[in-house]
């Protein structure tokens, strides 16, 4: 555990995560208290990684880090309910922001999936929830528009080749 804490202190979060996950692979070699501490430190490490990824605008990676804390029962059961709710909100916001990035890249299909995933978390607050729904509709409309345009262009090309 001390070694994992050193990795956290030196901000070597990938090593810390690997160390704690390795410890959890051998639960019988740990006392119940060590096991609980390793789980808590893994949750802390993943959350810290998620926050750093949010700050660097790596939203999908951030969402992945928060998701590990939230959905791994072995980890999430060591986190307070209040803290878990915060991680759920961070997870939803990371998905939402990732969706916005895909909108900027004009990848409407992927954007829609991320906005729907953010909505599905149930953690978005009123205004963000409404915006996510608006983005989902916008993505649907843009995809439909692109398909229509591609269809028209495809027919135009055929006409040109035949003429």
């Amino acid at each position: 555990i001390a070694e994992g804490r050193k990795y956290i202190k030196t901000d070597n979060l990938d090593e810390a995560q690997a160390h704690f996950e390795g410890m959890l692979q051998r639960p019988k070699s740990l006392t119940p208290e060590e096991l609980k501490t390793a789980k808590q430190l893994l949750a802390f490490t993943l959350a810290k990684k998620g926050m750093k990824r949010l700050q660097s605008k790596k939203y999908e990676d951030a969402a992945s880090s928060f998701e590990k804390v939230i959905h791994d029962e072995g980890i999430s059961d060591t986190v307070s309910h209040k803290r878990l709710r915060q991680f759920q909100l961070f997870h939803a916001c990371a998905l939402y922001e990732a969706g916005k990035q895909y909108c900027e890249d004009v990848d409407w299909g992927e954007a829609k999936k991320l906005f729907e995933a953010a909505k599905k978390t149930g953690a978005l607050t009123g205004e963000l929830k409404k915006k996510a729904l608006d983005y989902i509709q916008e993505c649907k409309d843009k995809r439909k528009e692109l398909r229509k345009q591609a269809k028209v262009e495809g027919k135009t090309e055929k006409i040109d080749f035949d003429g």
Side-chain angles (χ1 to χ4, degrees):
I1 290 182
E3 186 178 342
R5 286 180 199 258
K6 284 181 194 171
Y7 291 133
I8 292 171
K9 282 184 182 175
T10 58
D11 221 27
N12 193 342
L13 300 178
D14 290 332
E15 285 293 325
Q17 180 181 348
H19 180 76
F20 294 124
E21 286 175 342
M23 288 180 72
L24 296 178
Q25 295 294 319
R26 311 176 307 276
K28 291 188 180 356
S29 67
L30 304 172
T31 67
E33 191 57 38
E34 288 171 330
L35 184 61
K36 181 180 177 187
T37 301
K39 288 178 180 182
Q40 289 172 329
L41 289 170
L42 178 57
F44 174 81
T45 300
L46 289 168
K48 190 170 181 181
K49 280 178 78 171
M51 294 305 287
K52 286 189 166 293
R53 289 170 171 175
L54 279 176
Q55 291 167 343
S56 61
K57 297 184 182 343
K58 295 178 182 174
Y59 299 118
E60 281 186 280
D61 292 339
S64 176
S65 290
F66 290 120
E67 186 173 7
K68 286 178 187 171
V69 177
I70 296 164
H71 294 295
D72 185 326
E73 288 180 24
I75 300 170
S76 65
D77 64 4
T78 66
V79 178
S80 73
H81 182 70
K82 181 181 177 184
R83 182 67 47 113
L84 196 57
R85 291 292 302 152
Q86 288 175 329
F87 294 157
Q88 289 168 335
L89 179 59
F90 292 148
H91 176 240
C93 289
L95 290 168
Y96 175 87
E97 290 297 328
K100 285 174 44 180
Q101 282 182 331
Y102 278 100
C103 282
E104 290 170 15
D105 295 340
V106 194
D107 187 341
W108 305 112
E110 197 58 35
K112 180 178 168 271
K113 284 181 202 170
L114 289 161
F115 288 124
E116 287 174 340
K119 185 184 123 211
K120 188 178 174 185
T121 65
L124 291 179
T125 57
E127 185 63 27
L128 274 181
K129 192 175 192 176
K130 183 192 177 315
K131 284 183 179 181
L133 291 171
D134 291 345
Y135 273 121
I136 290 168
Q137 188 58 51
E138 180 184 353
C139 290
K140 285 178 183 176
D141 294 344
K142 298 279 187 179
R143 284 183 71 194
K144 193 182 287 184
E145 193 178 299
L146 284 175
R147 281 197 300 273
K148 232 185 240 183
Q149 186 179 348
K151 205 174 194 180
V152 168
E153 288 173 2
K155 286 181 181 176
T156 305
E157 286 176 22
K158 287 179 185 174
I159 292 168
D160 290 344
F161 283 100
D162 290 341

